[in-house]
Amino acid sequence: MTKLSVNINKIATIRNARGGNTPDVKLAAERCEMFGAQGITVHPRPDERHIRYQDVFDIRPVITTEFNIEGYPSENFIELVLKAKPHQVTLVPDPPDAITSNAGWDTVKHLNFLKETISKFQTAGIRTSIFVDTDLKNIEGAKQTGTDRIELYTEPYAANFDIDKESAVAPFTKAAEKAISLGLGINAGHDLNLDNLKYFVKNVPGVLEVSIGHALISDALYFGLDNTIKLYLRELKQIES
Ligand code: PXP
């Protein structure tokens, strides 16, 4: 069964456009869970342009499912995560000015840094995941870091889905098979949506969790948050159609 973790950064982006507290990200997290989401993801960036560090502490106590904090492991980020103690931390190699995450880790090049960072989180009882592409060298490198899980960077799948979905998904199937053979758990995310989600989880073995933000929050404008979450759960086959 693949869990749905809703990334609520976009809610914070709308809030920040006006100042004030509308929409309320804490309430949004609670509602996502009430409507069936099995996890909440936030991605605080150094400039706090969407989720702020304070949001993480405000949201933390209301989470009844799984809380996932993702981001680049700067000193401030590591301190934040160790204080907030989410269920999972996802390490992303994005530079501070990136619009959105746009690559996975080179796990061979950054092996020592990742190893050290991951062990800090695991010692604190926080499950770790690292964002990687489908290059098998990076999957093998991920194993060496000691991480519990990887998160497959699905943007290339989404970008090629309409052109040729079979060849778009093939590298992800291979990467997942490799990860499973190494004993790594598998998450996935980036640009997953109502068109491409079902085919992905059907063809990629062992996906434990998908984290979805941009498309889901956009769909909620048309369908409402409750309906939208149920539509995504249906794609993950958790709700009868
Ligand atoms: N996973 C990671 C590591 C991300 O950085 C993001 C975007 O913040 C997502 C998943 C979700 O991507 P999207 O907003 O395209 O669904």
Side-chain angles (χ1 to χ4, degrees), residues 7 43 45 70 92 100-101 131 151 189-191 211-214:
N7 178 320
H43 190 147
R45 291 182 190 270
E70 59 183 35
V92 183
T100 182
S101 312
F131 201 46
E151 179 179 329
H190 221 288
D191 286 328
S211 116
I212 307 184
H214 185 80

Side-chain angles (χ1 to χ4, degrees), residues 177-191:
E177 286 167 356
K178 182 76 185 174
I180 291 168
S181 77
L182 295 170
L184 290 165
I186 302 166
N187 296 339
H190 221 288
D191 286 328

Side-chain angles (χ1 to χ4, degrees), residues 14-235:
I14 300 173
R15 176 199 61 192
N16 297 353
R18 270 293 170 98
N21 195 35
T22 304
D24 179 342
V25 291
K26 191 168 100 179
L27 185 62
E30 286 178 302
R31 289 291 157 88
C32 285
E33 292 187 321
M34 189 199 292
F35 299 146
Q38 295 126 331
I40 299 295
T41 293
V42 294
H43 190 147
R45 291 182 190 270
D47 60 6
E48 301 194 307
R49 65 178 184 268
H50 21 61
I51 285 289
R52 302 180 185 130
Y53 276 34
Q54 185 56 45
D55 290 327
V56 172
F57 296 108
D58 294 344
I59 293 166
R60 180 72 189 93
V62 305
I63 303 289
T64 56
T65 57
E66 183 202 272
F67 193 33
N68 175 45
I69 306 180
E70 59 183 35
Y72 180 81
S74 63
E75 272 180 38
N76 285 345
F77 178 86
I78 293 173
E79 198 184 314
L80 168 80
V81 174
L82 291 175
K83 267 197 206 144
K85 285 206 188 313
H87 303 92
Q88 176 175 271
V89 62
T90 301
L91 306 183
V92 183
D94 53 347
D97 55 349
I99 292 175
T100 182
S101 312
N102 51 17
W105 286 99
D106 180 335
T107 56
V108 178
K109 188 169 165 195
H110 298 289
L111 178 61
N112 289 338
F113 173 65
L114 286 168
K115 234 184 187 170
E116 259 173 49
T117 311
I118 282 165
S119 116
K120 283 181 198 160
F121 292 127
Q122 287 176 337
T123 305
I126 301 166
R127 188 173 73 224
T128 62
S129 179
I130 57 176
F131 201 46
V132 287
D133 63 23
T134 53
D135 186 331
L136 298 184
K137 273 197 249 123
N138 285 326
I139 309 283
E140 280 158 11
K143 177 64 184 172
Q144 303 302 314
T145 67
T147 190
D148 302 296
R149 294 190 185 183
I150 54 167
E151 179 179 329
L152 291 170
Y153 171 47
T154 49
E155 191 273 342
Y157 163 73
N160 293 312
F161 179 79
D162 285 336
I163 304 162
D164 179 354
K165 59 186 174 191
E166 279 174 31
S167 60
V169 85
F172 289 85
T173 308
K174 283 206 186 87
E177 286 167 356
K178 182 76 185 174
I180 291 168
S181 77
L182 295 170
L184 290 165
I186 302 166
N187 296 339
H190 221 288
D191 286 328
L192 293 174
N193 61 35
L194 283 174
D195 294 330
N196 63 32
L197 179 60
K198 190 182 207 162
Y199 188 79
F200 187 84
V201 292
K202 206 172 142 202
N203 288 283
V204 180
V207 180
L208 298 169
E209 178 181 303
V210 286
S211 116
I212 307 184
H214 185 80
L216 189 152
I217 301 300
S218 303
D219 288 335
L221 293 175
Y222 309 113
F223 306 133
L225 190 56
D226 189 358
N227 281 331
T228 300
I229 288 176
K230 292 188 168 63
L231 287 170
Y232 278 81
L233 290 174
R234 194 171 69 181
E235 296 305 291

